[in-house]
């Protein structure tokens, strides 16, 4: 083999190596794009779940506030009833003094 044939063979070998490397990189790129798409789908699903959980939390918070308010209402009714009884006792005592 003369020098030109050796250089041509070396060039052909390197071109084949570059083509193989290109094909490997192309496949890796496809795999990475598929992975990114899958991750984006997961992110969207998680965002939807987070949104639902936030709505659930707000609903529970509202229910808890109503529950506390009802408890306060019962306590307020008892205090008013106590005040009325005390007032009636005072009126009775004042009536008895006359």
């Amino acid at each position: 083999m003369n020098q030109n044939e050796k250089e041509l063979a070396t060039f052909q070998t390197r071109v084949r190596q570059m083509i193989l490397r290109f094909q490997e990189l192309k496949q890796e790129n496809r795999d990475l794009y598929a992975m990114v798409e899958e991750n984006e789908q997961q992110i969207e699903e998680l965002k939807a779940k987070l949104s639902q959980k936030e709505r659930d939390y707000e609903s529970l918070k509202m229910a808890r506030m109503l529950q506390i308010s009802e408890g306060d209402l019962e306590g307020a009714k008892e205090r008013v009833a106590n005040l009325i009884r005390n007032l009636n006792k005072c009126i009775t005592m004042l009536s008895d003094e006359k």
Side-chain angles (χ1 to χ4, degrees), residues 4-93:
N4 285 339
E5 289 174 346
K6 286 181 184 178
E7 287 179 14
L8 185 59
T10 304
F11 179 73
Q12 287 175 338
T13 303
R14 290 198 177 152
V15 167
R16 281 189 215 108
Q17 288 173 343
M18 287 176 62
I19 289 171
L20 288 173
R21 182 67 180 140
F22 172 75
Q23 289 172 346
E24 289 171 2
L25 289 173
K26 204 163 125 178
Q27 182 59 43
E28 183 181 350
N29 193 23
R30 278 192 291 256
D31 294 344
L32 290 172
Y33 270 106
M35 192 183 305
V36 166
E37 188 175 323
E38 183 180 319
N39 287 339
E40 286 176 347
Q41 283 180 322
Q42 276 185 325
I43 288 171
E44 290 304 315
E45 289 171 8
L46 290 172
K47 281 182 181 179
K49 285 182 182 178
L50 176 62
S51 179
Q52 181 61 43
K53 296 295 181 191
E54 286 174 343
R55 285 191 299 273
D56 291 347
Y57 173 72
E58 288 299 321
S59 295
L60 287 172
K61 195 165 71 170
M62 188 70 84
R64 182 75 177 148
M65 285 173 36
L66 290 174
Q67 188 178 25
I68 290 171
S69 296
E70 288 173 4
D72 289 345
L73 182 63
E74 291 299 317
K77 284 181 181 179
E78 288 178 25
R79 285 192 299 273
V80 168
N82 258 348
L83 288 172
I84 291 173
R85 271 185 251 127
N86 286 339
L87 186 61
N88 284 338
K89 285 179 187 177
C90 290
I91 291 172
T92 303
M93 288 177 10

